[in-house]
PDB file of all heavy atoms in Angstrom:
ATOM      1  N   ASP A  57       0.997  -9.156   7.816  1.00  0.00           N
ATOM      2  CA  ASP A  57       1.391 -10.609   7.830  1.00  0.00           C
ATOM      3  C   ASP A  57       1.659 -11.147   6.394  1.00  0.00           C
ATOM      4  O   ASP A  57       1.474 -10.441   5.393  1.00  0.00           O
ATOM      5  CB  ASP A  57       0.350 -11.447   8.491  1.00  0.00           C
ATOM      6  CG  ASP A  57      -1.069 -11.336   7.861  1.00  0.00           C
ATOM      7  OD1 ASP A  57      -1.159 -10.408   6.904  1.00  0.00           O
ATOM      8  OD2 ASP A  57      -1.879 -12.064   8.263  1.00  0.00           O
ATOM      9  N   LEU A  58       2.118 -12.381   6.304  1.00  0.00           N
ATOM     10  CA  LEU A  58       2.527 -13.001   5.096  1.00  0.00           C
ATOM     11  C   LEU A  58       1.354 -13.059   4.087  1.00  0.00           C
ATOM     12  O   LEU A  58       1.576 -12.713   2.913  1.00  0.00           O
ATOM     13  CB  LEU A  58       3.133 -14.279   5.281  1.00  0.00           C
ATOM     14  CG  LEU A  58       3.737 -15.025   4.103  1.00  0.00           C
ATOM     15  CD1 LEU A  58       4.749 -14.254   3.348  1.00  0.00           C
ATOM     16  CD2 LEU A  58       4.218 -16.385   4.424  1.00  0.00           C
ATOM     17  N   HIS A  59       0.200 -13.487   4.665  1.00  0.00           N
ATOM     18  CA  HIS A  59      -0.974 -13.624   3.627  1.00  0.00           C
ATOM     19  C   HIS A  59      -1.369 -12.318   3.066  1.00  0.00           C
ATOM     20  O   HIS A  59      -1.716 -12.193   1.863  1.00  0.00           O
ATOM     21  CB  HIS A  59      -2.168 -14.192   4.477  1.00  0.00           C
ATOM     22  CG  HIS A  59      -3.358 -14.496   3.619  1.00  0.00           C
ATOM     23  ND1 HIS A  59      -3.318 -15.193   2.452  1.00  0.00           N
ATOM     24  CD2 HIS A  59      -4.634 -13.911   3.740  1.00  0.00           C
ATOM     25  CE1 HIS A  59      -4.514 -15.197   1.964  1.00  0.00           C
ATOM     26  NE2 HIS A  59      -5.357 -14.433   2.668  1.00  0.00           N
ATOM     27  N   ALA A  60      -1.294 -11.200   3.851  1.00  0.00           N
ATOM     28  CA  ALA A  60      -1.618  -9.873   3.382  1.00  0.00           C
ATOM     29  C   ALA A  60      -0.578  -9.360   2.320  1.00  0.00           C
ATOM     30  O   ALA A  60      -1.018  -8.875   1.274  1.00  0.00           O
ATOM     31  CB  ALA A  60      -1.695  -8.880   4.501  1.00  0.00           C
ATOM     32  N   ARG A  61       0.661  -9.697   2.525  1.00  0.00           N
ATOM     33  CA  ARG A  61       1.751  -9.379   1.595  1.00  0.00           C
ATOM     34  C   ARG A  61       1.427 -10.127   0.294  1.00  0.00           C
ATOM     35  O   ARG A  61       1.608  -9.505  -0.868  1.00  0.00           O
ATOM     36  CB  ARG A  61       3.191  -9.732   2.059  1.00  0.00           C
ATOM     37  CG  ARG A  61       4.145  -9.310   1.164  1.00  0.00           C
ATOM     38  CD  ARG A  61       5.577  -9.613   1.759  1.00  0.00           C
ATOM     39  NE  ARG A  61       5.839  -8.778   2.894  1.00  0.00           N
ATOM     40  CZ  ARG A  61       6.442  -7.478   2.774  1.00  0.00           C
ATOM     41  NH1 ARG A  61       6.894  -7.203   1.590  1.00  0.00           N
ATOM     42  NH2 ARG A  61       6.776  -6.741   3.824  1.00  0.00           N
ATOM     43  N   ARG A  62       1.068 -11.365   0.290  1.00  0.00           N
ATOM     44  CA  ARG A  62       0.820 -12.079  -0.879  1.00  0.00           C
ATOM     45  C   ARG A  62      -0.390 -11.576  -1.631  1.00  0.00           C
ATOM     46  O   ARG A  62      -0.482 -11.622  -2.808  1.00  0.00           O
ATOM     47  CB  ARG A  62       0.700 -13.625  -0.617  1.00  0.00           C
ATOM     48  CG  ARG A  62       2.085 -14.117  -0.333  1.00  0.00           C
ATOM     49  CD  ARG A  62       2.024 -15.633  -0.030  1.00  0.00           C
ATOM     50  NE  ARG A  62       3.348 -16.242   0.107  1.00  0.00           N
ATOM     51  CZ  ARG A  62       3.583 -17.391   0.781  1.00  0.00           C
ATOM     52  NH1 ARG A  62       2.568 -18.109   1.198  1.00  0.00           N
ATOM     53  NH2 ARG A  62       4.835 -17.802   0.918  1.00  0.00           N
ATOM     54  N   GLN A  63      -1.415 -11.211  -0.872  1.00  0.00           N
ATOM     55  CA  GLN A  63      -2.568 -10.636  -1.560  1.00  0.00           C
ATOM     56  C   GLN A  63      -2.174  -9.380  -2.304  1.00  0.00           C
ATOM     57  O   GLN A  63      -2.743  -9.150  -3.404  1.00  0.00           O
ATOM     58  CB  GLN A  63      -3.702 -10.396  -0.428  1.00  0.00           C
ATOM     59  CG  GLN A  63      -4.366 -11.583  -0.009  1.00  0.00           C
ATOM     60  CD  GLN A  63      -5.457 -11.236   1.042  1.00  0.00           C
ATOM     61  OE1 GLN A  63      -5.191 -10.623   2.042  1.00  0.00           O
ATOM     62  NE2 GLN A  63      -6.647 -11.770   0.870  1.00  0.00           N
ATOM     63  N   VAL A  64      -1.475  -8.516  -1.694  1.00  0.00           N
ATOM     64  CA  VAL A  64      -1.037  -7.274  -2.368  1.00  0.00           C
ATOM     65  C   VAL A  64      -0.094  -7.516  -3.527  1.00  0.00           C
ATOM     66  O   VAL A  64      -0.370  -6.882  -4.560  1.00  0.00           O
ATOM     67  CB  VAL A  64      -0.339  -6.306  -1.341  1.00  0.00           C
ATOM     68  CG1 VAL A  64       0.267  -5.141  -2.040  1.00  0.00           C
ATOM     69  CG2 VAL A  64      -1.160  -5.928  -0.188  1.00  0.00           C
ATOM     70  N   LEU A  65       0.764  -8.496  -3.364  1.00  0.00           N
ATOM     71  CA  LEU A  65       1.574  -8.908  -4.513  1.00  0.00           C
ATOM     72  C   LEU A  65       0.794  -9.410  -5.661  1.00  0.00           C
ATOM     73  O   LEU A  65       1.182  -9.273  -6.866  1.00  0.00           O
ATOM     74  CB  LEU A  65       2.575  -9.987  -4.068  1.00  0.00           C
ATOM     75  CG  LEU A  65       3.897  -9.532  -3.487  1.00  0.00           C
ATOM     76  CD1 LEU A  65       4.694 -10.611  -2.790  1.00  0.00           C
ATOM     77  CD2 LEU A  65       4.697  -8.779  -4.499  1.00  0.00           C
ATOM     78  N   ALA A  66      -0.354 -10.100  -5.432  1.00  0.00           N
ATOM     79  CA  ALA A  66      -1.220 -10.506  -6.558  1.00  0.00           C
ATOM     80  C   ALA A  66      -1.849  -9.372  -7.259  1.00  0.00           C
ATOM     81  O   ALA A  66      -2.227  -9.632  -8.484  1.00  0.00           O
ATOM     82  CB  ALA A  66      -2.175 -11.404  -5.940  1.00  0.00           C
ATOM     83  N   PHE A  67      -1.927  -8.147  -6.677  1.00  0.00           N
ATOM     84  CA  PHE A  67      -2.576  -7.113  -7.381  1.00  0.00           C
ATOM     85  C   PHE A  67      -1.674  -6.087  -7.851  1.00  0.00           C
ATOM     86  O   PHE A  67      -1.633  -5.633  -8.915  1.00  0.00           O
ATOM     87  CB  PHE A  67      -3.597  -6.409  -6.450  1.00  0.00           C
ATOM     88  CG  PHE A  67      -4.519  -5.479  -7.165  1.00  0.00           C
ATOM     89  CD1 PHE A  67      -5.604  -6.005  -7.878  1.00  0.00           C
ATOM     90  CD2 PHE A  67      -4.300  -4.202  -7.237  1.00  0.00           C
ATOM     91  CE1 PHE A  67      -6.474  -5.144  -8.664  1.00  0.00           C
ATOM     92  CE2 PHE A  67      -5.193  -3.168  -7.899  1.00  0.00           C
ATOM     93  CZ  PHE A  67      -6.275  -3.776  -8.585  1.00  0.00           C
ATOM     94  N   VAL A  68      -0.654  -5.589  -7.052  1.00  0.00           N
ATOM     95  CA  VAL A  68       0.292  -4.580  -7.442  1.00  0.00           C
ATOM     96  C   VAL A  68       1.396  -5.203  -8.236  1.00  0.00           C
ATOM     97  O   VAL A  68       1.842  -6.247  -8.064  1.00  0.00           O
ATOM     98  CB  VAL A  68       0.950  -3.937  -6.170  1.00  0.00           C
ATOM     99  CG1 VAL A  68       2.113  -3.047  -6.469  1.00  0.00           C
ATOM    100  CG2 VAL A  68      -0.156  -3.303  -5.241  1.00  0.00           C
ATOM    101  N   THR A  69       1.819  -4.371  -9.240  1.00  0.00           N
ATOM    102  CA  THR A  69       2.632  -4.989 -10.358  1.00  0.00           C
ATOM    103  C   THR A  69       4.063  -4.937 -10.051  1.00  0.00           C
ATOM    104  O   THR A  69       4.838  -5.559 -10.793  1.00  0.00           O
ATOM    105  CB  THR A  69       2.357  -4.243 -11.715  1.00  0.00           C
ATOM    106  OG1 THR A  69       2.606  -2.869 -11.576  1.00  0.00           O
ATOM    107  CG2 THR A  69       0.903  -4.467 -12.107  1.00  0.00           C
ATOM    108  N   GLU A  70       4.570  -4.241  -8.966  1.00  0.00           N
ATOM    109  CA  GLU A  70       6.026  -4.123  -8.814  1.00  0.00           C
ATOM    110  C   GLU A  70       6.308  -4.485  -7.323  1.00  0.00           C
ATOM    111  O   GLU A  70       5.604  -4.026  -6.452  1.00  0.00           O
ATOM    112  CB  GLU A  70       6.511  -2.766  -9.028  1.00  0.00           C
ATOM    113  CG  GLU A  70       6.353  -2.285 -10.520  1.00  0.00           C
ATOM    114  CD  GLU A  70       6.908  -0.898 -10.720  1.00  0.00           C
ATOM    115  OE1 GLU A  70       7.748  -0.402  -9.849  1.00  0.00           O
ATOM    116  OE2 GLU A  70       6.420  -0.248 -11.704  1.00  0.00           O
ATOM    117  N   GLU A  71       7.228  -5.324  -7.198  1.00  0.00           N
ATOM    118  CA  GLU A  71       7.700  -5.855  -5.744  1.00  0.00           C
ATOM    119  C   GLU A  71       8.261  -4.712  -4.983  1.00  0.00           C
ATOM    120  O   GLU A  71       8.064  -4.641  -3.759  1.00  0.00           O
ATOM    121  CB  GLU A  71       8.703  -6.904  -5.844  1.00  0.00           C
ATOM    122  CG  GLU A  71       8.107  -8.225  -6.412  1.00  0.00           C
ATOM    123  CD  GLU A  71       9.033  -9.349  -6.384  1.00  0.00           C
ATOM    124  OE1 GLU A  71       9.957  -9.356  -5.456  1.00  0.00           O
ATOM    125  OE2 GLU A  71       8.884 -10.310  -7.165  1.00  0.00           O
ATOM    126  N   THR A  72       8.873  -3.669  -5.521  1.00  0.00           N
ATOM    127  CA  THR A  72       9.448  -2.554  -4.895  1.00  0.00           C
ATOM    128  C   THR A  72       8.422  -1.796  -4.198  1.00  0.00           C
ATOM    129  O   THR A  72       8.529  -1.247  -3.122  1.00  0.00           O
ATOM    130  CB  THR A  72      10.360  -1.746  -5.744  1.00  0.00           C
ATOM    131  OG1 THR A  72       9.669  -1.338  -6.900  1.00  0.00           O
ATOM    132  CG2 THR A  72      11.555  -2.515  -6.154  1.00  0.00           C
ATOM    133  N   VAL A  73       7.236  -1.608  -4.881  1.00  0.00           N
ATOM    134  CA  VAL A  73       6.128  -0.865  -4.422  1.00  0.00           C
ATOM    135  C   VAL A  73       5.522  -1.465  -3.276  1.00  0.00           C
ATOM    136  O   VAL A  73       5.019  -0.916  -2.241  1.00  0.00           O
ATOM    137  CB  VAL A  73       5.090  -0.557  -5.542  1.00  0.00           C
ATOM    138  CG1 VAL A  73       3.884   0.178  -5.034  1.00  0.00           C
ATOM    139  CG2 VAL A  73       5.759   0.267  -6.626  1.00  0.00           C
ATOM    140  N   VAL A  74       5.454  -2.919  -3.352  1.00  0.00           N
ATOM    141  CA  VAL A  74       4.861  -3.714  -2.161  1.00  0.00           C
ATOM    142  C   VAL A  74       5.763  -3.520  -0.906  1.00  0.00           C
ATOM    143  O   VAL A  74       5.265  -3.306   0.206  1.00  0.00           O
ATOM    144  CB  VAL A  74       4.783  -5.110  -2.565  1.00  0.00           C
ATOM    145  CG1 VAL A  74       4.305  -5.927  -1.302  1.00  0.00           C
ATOM    146  CG2 VAL A  74       3.797  -5.303  -3.666  1.00  0.00           C
ATOM    147  N   THR A  75       7.126  -3.546  -1.111  1.00  0.00           N
ATOM    148  CA  THR A  75       8.005  -3.308   0.014  1.00  0.00           C
ATOM    149  C   THR A  75       7.834  -1.989   0.515  1.00  0.00           C
ATOM    150  O   THR A  75       7.743  -1.761   1.787  1.00  0.00           O
ATOM    151  CB  THR A  75       9.455  -3.570  -0.573  1.00  0.00           C
ATOM    152  OG1 THR A  75       9.573  -4.808  -1.122  1.00  0.00           O
ATOM    153  CG2 THR A  75      10.378  -3.402   0.595  1.00  0.00           C
ATOM    154  N   LYS A  76       7.709  -0.944  -0.301  1.00  0.00           N
ATOM    155  CA  LYS A  76       7.412   0.407   0.223  1.00  0.00           C
ATOM    156  C   LYS A  76       6.183   0.461   0.943  1.00  0.00           C
ATOM    157  O   LYS A  76       6.130   1.205   1.973  1.00  0.00           O
ATOM    158  CB  LYS A  76       7.461   1.393  -1.001  1.00  0.00           C
ATOM    159  CG  LYS A  76       7.286   2.798  -0.657  1.00  0.00           C
ATOM    160  CD  LYS A  76       7.311   3.832  -1.827  1.00  0.00           C
ATOM    161  CE  LYS A  76       7.101   5.159  -1.426  1.00  0.00           C
ATOM    162  NZ  LYS A  76       7.054   6.146  -2.607  1.00  0.00           N
ATOM    163  N   LEU A  77       5.119  -0.129   0.439  1.00  0.00           N
ATOM    164  CA  LEU A  77       3.813  -0.079   1.131  1.00  0.00           C
ATOM    165  C   LEU A  77       3.844  -0.754   2.555  1.00  0.00           C
ATOM    166  O   LEU A  77       3.326  -0.076   3.522  1.00  0.00           O
ATOM    167  CB  LEU A  77       2.789  -0.875   0.321  1.00  0.00           C
ATOM    168  CG  LEU A  77       1.387  -1.159   0.988  1.00  0.00           C
ATOM    169  CD1 LEU A  77       0.705   0.134   1.145  1.00  0.00           C
ATOM    170  CD2 LEU A  77       0.518  -2.100   0.107  1.00  0.00           C
ATOM    171  N   PHE A  78       4.581  -1.824   2.706  1.00  0.00           N
ATOM    172  CA  PHE A  78       4.565  -2.510   3.986  1.00  0.00           C
ATOM    173  C   PHE A  78       5.641  -1.759   4.836  1.00  0.00           C
ATOM    174  O   PHE A  78       5.383  -1.801   6.158  1.00  0.00           O
ATOM    175  CB  PHE A  78       4.990  -3.983   3.777  1.00  0.00           C
ATOM    176  CG  PHE A  78       3.719  -4.782   3.456  1.00  0.00           C
ATOM    177  CD1 PHE A  78       3.276  -4.868   2.188  1.00  0.00           C
ATOM    178  CD2 PHE A  78       3.138  -5.493   4.511  1.00  0.00           C
ATOM    179  CE1 PHE A  78       2.202  -5.623   1.852  1.00  0.00           C
ATOM    180  CE2 PHE A  78       2.010  -6.211   4.197  1.00  0.00           C
ATOM    181  CZ  PHE A  78       1.498  -6.318   2.832  1.00  0.00           C
ATOM    182  N   ASP A  79       6.682  -1.204   4.424  1.00  0.00           N
ATOM    183  CA  ASP A  79       7.683  -0.720   5.288  1.00  0.00           C
ATOM    184  C   ASP A  79       7.519   0.766   5.549  1.00  0.00           C
ATOM    185  O   ASP A  79       7.860   1.277   6.665  1.00  0.00           O
ATOM    186  CB  ASP A  79       9.061  -0.841   4.605  1.00  0.00           C
ATOM    187  CG  ASP A  79       9.516  -2.362   4.519  1.00  0.00           C
ATOM    188  OD1 ASP A  79       8.875  -3.159   5.206  1.00  0.00           O
ATOM    189  OD2 ASP A  79      10.367  -2.692   3.835  1.00  0.00           O
ATOM    190  N   GLU A  80       7.028   1.565   4.567  1.00  0.00           N
ATOM    191  CA  GLU A  80       6.864   3.014   4.729  1.00  0.00           C
ATOM    192  C   GLU A  80       5.487   3.583   4.869  1.00  0.00           C
ATOM    193  O   GLU A  80       5.150   4.330   5.809  1.00  0.00           O
ATOM    194  CB  GLU A  80       7.628   3.789   3.535  1.00  0.00           C
ATOM    195  CG  GLU A  80       9.033   3.463   3.534  1.00  0.00           C
ATOM    196  CD  GLU A  80       9.729   3.978   2.225  1.00  0.00           C
ATOM    197  OE1 GLU A  80       9.155   4.892   1.706  1.00  0.00           O
ATOM    198  OE2 GLU A  80      10.779   3.417   1.863  1.00  0.00           O
ATOM    199  N   ILE A  81       4.583   3.107   3.950  1.00  0.00           N
ATOM    200  CA  ILE A  81       3.295   3.781   3.800  1.00  0.00           C
ATOM    201  C   ILE A  81       2.313   3.302   4.939  1.00  0.00           C
ATOM    202  O   ILE A  81       1.760   4.110   5.669  1.00  0.00           O
ATOM    203  CB  ILE A  81       2.716   3.440   2.496  1.00  0.00           C
ATOM    204  CG1 ILE A  81       3.452   4.144   1.384  1.00  0.00           C
ATOM    205  CG2 ILE A  81       1.280   4.018   2.345  1.00  0.00           C
ATOM    206  CD1 ILE A  81       3.137   3.770  -0.078  1.00  0.00           C
ATOM    207  N   ALA A  82       2.236   2.011   5.078  1.00  0.00           N
ATOM    208  CA  ALA A  82       1.325   1.534   6.124  1.00  0.00           C
ATOM    209  C   ALA A  82       1.591   1.886   7.440  1.00  0.00           C
ATOM    210  O   ALA A  82       0.642   2.283   8.234  1.00  0.00           O
ATOM    211  CB  ALA A  82       1.222   0.003   5.934  1.00  0.00           C
ATOM    212  N   PRO A  83       2.808   1.945   7.964  1.00  0.00           N
ATOM    213  CA  PRO A  83       3.173   2.433   9.323  1.00  0.00           C
ATOM    214  C   PRO A  83       2.681   3.881   9.610  1.00  0.00           C
ATOM    215  O   PRO A  83       2.342   4.161  10.733  1.00  0.00           O
ATOM    216  CB  PRO A  83       4.605   2.333   9.555  1.00  0.00           C
ATOM    217  CG  PRO A  83       4.912   1.198   8.563  1.00  0.00           C
ATOM    218  CD  PRO A  83       4.079   1.337   7.404  1.00  0.00           C
ATOM    219  N   GLN A  84       2.620   4.667   8.552  1.00  0.00           N
ATOM    220  CA  GLN A  84       2.177   6.064   8.734  1.00  0.00           C
ATOM    221  C   GLN A  84       0.728   6.135   9.078  1.00  0.00           C
ATOM    222  O   GLN A  84       0.281   7.016   9.768  1.00  0.00           O
ATOM    223  CB  GLN A  84       2.316   6.842   7.469  1.00  0.00           C
ATOM    224  CG  GLN A  84       3.837   7.135   7.040  1.00  0.00           C
ATOM    225  CD  GLN A  84       3.890   7.867   5.708  1.00  0.00           C
ATOM    226  OE1 GLN A  84       2.967   7.910   4.982  1.00  0.00           O
ATOM    227  NE2 GLN A  84       5.059   8.349   5.386  1.00  0.00           N
ATOM    228  N   TYR A  85      -0.015   5.118   8.671  1.00  0.00           N
ATOM    229  CA  TYR A  85      -1.510   5.064   8.817  1.00  0.00           C
ATOM    230  C   TYR A  85      -1.904   4.171   9.990  1.00  0.00           C
ATOM    231  O   TYR A  85      -3.072   3.775  10.070  1.00  0.00           O
ATOM    232  CB  TYR A  85      -2.270   4.814   7.582  1.00  0.00           C
ATOM    233  CG  TYR A  85      -1.913   5.766   6.406  1.00  0.00           C
ATOM    234  CD1 TYR A  85      -1.275   5.392   5.395  1.00  0.00           C
ATOM    235  CD2 TYR A  85      -2.416   7.097   6.476  1.00  0.00           C
ATOM    236  CE1 TYR A  85      -1.122   6.276   4.237  1.00  0.00           C
ATOM    237  CE2 TYR A  85      -2.165   8.018   5.504  1.00  0.00           C
ATOM    238  CZ  TYR A  85      -1.461   7.518   4.475  1.00  0.00           C
ATOM    239  OH  TYR A  85      -1.180   8.440   3.421  1.00  0.00           O
TER     240      TYR A  85
END
């Protein structure tokens, strides 16, 4: 959800990595 994405954006330093986390990495798990 949006709140989780903003929490990750507050810690991870690159937006492309956040997009990769939500679109590719998280669905694998």
Side-chain angles (χ1 to χ4, degrees):
D57 58 351
L58 180 62
H59 182 58
R61 183 178 289 270
R62 286 181 175 164
Q63 285 179 311
V64 173
L65 274 168
F67 193 82
V68 175
T69 58
E70 295 181 23
E71 290 186 29
T72 56
V73 176
V74 174
T75 304
K76 181 179 178 181
L77 171 66
F78 278 82
D79 295 344
E80 299 172 22
I81 297 172
Q84 291 176 349
Y85 300 114

